[in-house]
Amino acid sequence: MVIKTPENLPAPRVFEKKPRVALALGGGAFHGIAHVGVLKVLEEAGVPIDFIVGASAGSLVGCMYADNPHADSLLGLIKTTKASNIFDFSLFRSSIGFVSGKKLQQFIHKNCKAENIEDTKIPFAAMVTDLTNGRSLTLSSGPMAPSVNASCAIPLVFEPVKMYGLILVDGGVLNNVPADIARASGAEVVIAVDVMAFYDSTRSIDNLTGVGLRSLAVVSDHFKAPKLAMADLVISPNLLNIPYMSGKENLEAYEEGIKATRAALPEILAILKKKGIPCK
């Protein structure tokens, strides 16, 4: 199976066999910590995960799990990672973004053994938005750190990432929960995780960043519905009262991911049984 990409991007990763279960992990800054709780429950239940595609924060968590498929290996990061570990914020850095992405790329290098996307243990892909041509792109090969940086590059916050002759930003702008890409992989079962089901958690709209983030959330929410419809099941952790630009509530977001997935687990197992997909 091959995920098609435009000719100016690196050759897409070729899968050895069609995935049975694919995960689509949605974006949402530090709300993405909830994905670790989701992965923890699925792992404990023995749900096979054959492909992960992520947008924004979903690509960050997704790449680390695809590189080392053990949810417990991410627990230490949940407890210690703060916004300052990810955002090298400066009002004077650039006219197109307050965060360069260098700290984020260093974080990825430190926590991923795979230098390239195609080298992960579980096949993985990151969604990006191509500002040059106004389209959504899927990166399933190429250098890991800048690709995931591009997937996470929230407009008006991060500087865009220049790669392949393109200007790339947050994949969530056009495809924040890429269940359609998971489905296009040929997967028998697609599980989507929407960590921005309640986008009103962006309450502050009294400054430039707040306006930008709310605008992005509204646009992403508008485009999200047809993507979610392509999933067999959608897990939506209740993160309404957790600010998504703060790392102070990581454990709370993680627990909400666990809670939502445990509630959905009977339905997930029933779907797998119906498809004849055994748990480990």
Side-chain angles (χ1 to χ4, degrees):
M1 188 278 296
V2 176
I3 295 178
K4 295 182 179 179
T5 52
E7 63 282 350
N8 54 327
L9 271 65
R13 181 173 185 167
V14 178
F15 293 57
E16 295 180 1
K17 59 181 179 179
K18 185 176 73 172
R20 297 163 299 171
V21 179
L23 294 186
L25 304 183
F30 276 88
H31 277 190
I33 295 295
H35 290 310
V36 183
V38 173
L39 291 163
K40 173 70 172 175
V41 175
L42 295 179
E43 186 179 302
E44 287 181 342
V47 175
I49 300 172
D50 304 305
F51 175 48
I52 299 173
V53 56
S56 196
S59 70
L60 180 57
V61 174
C63 79
M64 291 190 292
Y65 188 80
D67 180 63
N68 181 23
H70 302 284
D72 285 345
S73 69
L74 300 177
L75 293 182
L77 296 179
I78 290 175
K79 296 176 182 179
T80 60
T81 301
K82 303 176 182 178
S84 59
N85 299 124
I86 303 294
F87 303 125
D88 50 343
F89 185 88
S90 173
L91 289 173
F92 306 103
R93 171 171 289 108
S94 171
S95 61
I96 56 174
F98 303 128
V99 178
S100 75
K102 290 181 180 179
K103 270 194 173 182
L104 175 57
Q105 292 200 33
Q106 290 170 357
F107 182 85
I108 295 166
H109 278 301
K110 182 179 179 181
N111 294 290
C112 275
K113 291 182 179 179
E115 290 291 325
N116 296 305
I117 296 175
E118 63 268 27
D119 296 330
T120 55
K121 294 177 181 177
I122 296 175
F124 166 73
M127 299 305 303
V128 297
T129 300
D130 170 16
L131 288 186
T132 306
N133 300 291
R135 59 188 174 179
S136 180
L137 297 176
T138 306
L139 302 180
S140 61
S141 62
M144 179 74 81
S147 298
V148 175
N149 180 181
S151 184
C152 295
I154 303 169
L156 300 181
V157 177
F158 277 83
E159 292 182 2
V161 176
K162 296 180 180 179
M163 297 176 69
Y164 313 122
L166 305 172
I167 298 175
L168 305 177
V169 298
D170 193 332
V173 173
L174 294 178
N175 196 346
N176 200 42
V177 189
D180 58 327
I181 304 302
R183 180 63 68 193
S185 73
E188 295 179 58
V189 175
V190 172
I191 300 172
V193 186
D194 183 7
V195 295
M196 287 295 289
F198 308 97
Y199 70 78
D200 269 344
S201 54
T202 309
R203 293 188 176 88
S204 175
I205 54 173
D206 56 359
N207 55 54
L208 179 63
T209 301
V211 170
L213 291 174
R214 174 61 70 90
S215 299
L216 176 61
V218 171
V219 171
S220 295
D221 194 67
H222 176 75
F223 286 113
K224 187 169 57 179
K227 315 294 185 184
L228 292 177
M230 303 190 76
D232 293 280
L233 182 138
V234 180
I235 299 172
S236 301
N238 186 354
L239 306 170
L240 182 60
N241 295 314
I242 299 177
Y244 71 85
M245 291 300 287
S246 169
K248 296 180 180 179
E249 294 82 10
N250 287 354
L251 286 174
E252 187 177 345
Y254 170 71
E255 291 296 337
E256 289 298 332
I258 287 178
K259 184 188 302 183
T261 310
R262 283 178 176 165
L265 191 57
E267 185 176 356
I268 293 172
L269 296 178
I271 292 171
L272 295 180
K273 183 177 180 180
K274 183 176 180 180
K275 294 283 186 178
I277 301 174
C279 290
K280 299 175 183 178

